[in-house]
Amino acid sequence: MFDHLDHVGIAVEEVDAALTLYRDLFGMTVTHDETVLDQGTRAIFLSAPSGPDLELLVALGPETPIGKYLAKRGPGIHHICFAVPDLNVALATCKARGLQLIDETPRIGAKGKRLAFIHPKSVGGVLIELYEAHQPEASLQAE
C-alpha cells in the first residue's frame, strides 16, 4: 500500500532557529515554502541528499491545529508521511482493516497534493499522513 516514506513533519515554535539547525548546521536544502491557509500552517520542506524530506510546520496562530499541538506537546515530531500511489485505494484499505481515519476523504495540502491522516490511536500513537505520490489523471484534467 505504501510507496515510500515521504517526509517527517516537525512542529516548530521558532522558524528561524529551526532553519538555522536543519538548513545551516545540517546542510539540508529548502525545497518548498508555502502557507496553507485552510490548515493555518506554514509548511517548509527541506531535503537531504538521501532519505525522506523534513516538513517544518509553523502555526499561523494559537487556535490552528499546529498551534494547539505546540501548546499541548511543545515542538517536535508531529507526524510521519507515507506516499501512496492512489490515496482513495489507501483510505479504503485502511478503513477495511479497521483503522480510524481523521480524514474520511482526501483534502488538499502543501504542494497541492491530496492527503489524509490516520488517527494515532489506530497506529501505535503515531500520527500518520498519507500523501498521494502523483495526482490522479482526473484531477490533472480538471485544472
Side-chain angles (χ1 to χ4, degrees):
M1 178 171 65
F2 297 154
D3 188 26
H4 63 274
L5 178 61
D6 187 81
H7 67 267
V8 175
I10 302 173
V12 300
E13 291 178 327
E14 300 291 331
V15 68
D16 290 335
L19 286 171
T20 297
L21 175 65
Y22 294 107
R23 182 192 59 208
D24 303 339
L25 184 61
F26 293 163
M28 298 183 81
T29 302
V30 174
T31 57
H32 188 80
D33 187 342
E34 176 182 356
T35 299
V36 185
L37 290 176
D38 65 330
Q39 294 176 25
T41 303
R42 178 178 172 199
I44 304 168
F45 285 84
L46 296 110
S47 250
S50 64
D53 288 347
L54 294 183
E55 177 187 21
L56 303 181
L57 299 162
V58 184
L60 297 181
E63 294 305 313
T64 64
I66 295 299
K68 291 176 184 177
Y69 179 91
L70 286 167
K72 186 175 182 179
R73 295 183 179 87
I77 293 177
H78 178 261
H79 69 271
I80 60 173
C81 176
F82 292 97
V84 297
D86 185 318
L87 188 54
N88 293 331
V89 169
L91 290 174
T93 301
C94 288
K95 194 169 186 175
R97 293 181 180 168
L99 298 180
Q100 181 181 350
L101 302 176
I102 292 174
D103 300 297
E104 294 281 333
T105 58
R107 57 183 154 120
I108 303 299
K111 301 181 184 179
K113 298 269 186 152
R114 292 172 8 116
L115 64 87
F117 284 92
I118 301 172
H119 201 286
K121 290 179 184 177
S122 295
V123 285
V126 177
L127 180 61
I128 293 180
E129 177 182 1
L130 301 178
Y131 200 62
E132 197 155 58
H134 305 287
Q135 292 182 342
E137 290 299 318
S139 73
L140 291 175
Q141 292 171 355
E143 293 177 354

